[in-house]
Amino acid sequence: MNTRSLSVAVLARGGVALVLASMAMLAAAADGVAQLRDFVAHARSAEGEFEQVVMARSGRRPQEAKGQFAYERPGRFHWEYTRPYRQVLVGDGRALWTWDPDLNQVTVREIGDALGATPAAILFGAGALDDSFELADGGVSDGLAWVEARPRQAESGFESLRIGLAKGQLQQMEMRDNFGQTTLIRFTRLQPNPPLAADRFRFVPPAGADIIGEIPDDLGASRTTPGR
């Protein structure tokens, strides 16, 4: 084979490789929504750790936080910030409890009002994804297949949400709220469908805590155990 023929053959192989790579990327992109639907359908519970970065539109220094989480659909979760300071959010299926240990202040709300069409509903909500979000493929970048999720409700509090998945597992969420603030969450050590203790999603206001909001009548202190 002469040099010119060899060059043509190399280019041909390179072209085929490029086409195949492009097809693979397109397939992965097209699979993003399917991956999300599959994850939500089959990961009825999960636990792991997360890293969070909040960036303001003003360009001020990003706020970084870390913590751990666990959830069990629908509406039961334990989301705990451990750095830079501790804050605990517990959903018991009926109420959302938010505890600030530094202030010893507890806020309680009906969980339906608290979740609504928020990004948390993707993980913890009871309804179908399409009831609250318009889903579209967001392409492939950083090794992840992305999904664009836009809230159907104007009062959701955020403009857009990007969800990154790999091999059917949730990896990242990027949310932009109505004030131009962007929140990035990276999930680490996520374990789908783990064994979870029965009291993982219960909460009792600590002694002397200032409670803001009304505890639902059918919950009461008898159904809760101390917060962690």
Side-chain angles (χ1 to χ4, degrees):
M1 181 180 293
N2 59 38
T3 303
R4 181 172 181 178
S5 298
L6 180 61
S7 298
V8 170
V10 170
L11 287 172
R13 286 197 297 270
V16 171
L18 181 60
V19 170
L20 291 176
S22 298
M23 290 175 64
M25 289 182 67
L26 288 172
D31 195 44
V33 173
Q35 285 191 53
L36 178 60
R37 293 188 193 283
D38 187 69
F39 176 81
V40 170
H42 294 97
R44 305 302 297 176
S45 64
E47 67 177 346
E49 298 177 357
F50 67 90
E51 299 172 353
Q52 177 178 297
V53 178
V54 179
M55 298 177 292
R57 181 166 52 186
S58 63
R60 71 168 183 251
R61 183 178 179 180
Q63 303 174 28
E64 299 182 2
K66 293 183 178 181
Q68 56 197 24
F69 71 94
Y71 73 82
E72 183 177 79
R73 295 170 64 89
R76 290 156 54 86
F77 59 90
H78 187 114
W79 186 275
E80 182 168 343
Y81 291 94
T82 56
R83 298 182 183 177
Y85 52 83
R86 190 175 179 219
Q87 186 180 46
V88 181
L89 295 87
V90 178
D92 60 14
R94 291 297 311 280
L96 169 62
W97 307 82
T98 303
W99 177 42
D100 186 328
D102 290 338
L103 300 176
N104 199 17
Q105 184 179 84
V106 175
T107 301
V108 59
R109 299 175 59 190
E110 289 279 357
I111 202 162
D113 296 336
L115 291 184
T118 68
I122 295 269
L123 295 179
F124 319 134
L129 288 176
D130 295 286
D131 291 343
S132 300
F133 304 95
E134 295 179 7
L135 303 177
D137 290 306
V140 176
S141 62
D142 302 324
L144 301 178
W146 291 90
V147 178
E148 304 281 352
R150 292 192 173 274
R152 294 186 182 276
Q153 299 177 14
E155 64 277 13
S156 64
F158 74 102
E159 292 181 358
S160 61
L161 174 69
R162 296 181 72 230
I163 304 160
L165 302 101
K167 298 180 180 178
Q169 296 300 314
L170 182 67
Q171 301 290 325
Q172 293 187 41
M173 296 178 75
E174 299 182 2
M175 181 189 72
R176 182 180 177 86
D177 65 26
N178 293 331
F179 301 99
Q181 181 172 266
T182 300
T183 300
L184 312 178
I185 299 177
R186 185 168 70 90
F187 297 96
T188 59
R189 302 182 185 179
L190 188 151
Q191 180 186 358
N193 302 313
L196 296 171
D199 65 348
R200 189 68 181 272
F201 311 109
R202 295 177 181 173
F203 182 82
V204 133
D210 180 21
I211 299 177
I212 300 173
E214 250 184 71
I215 298 176
D217 292 337
D218 58 344
L219 290 180
S222 63
R223 287 197 49 198
T224 58
T225 58
R228 304 178 185 185

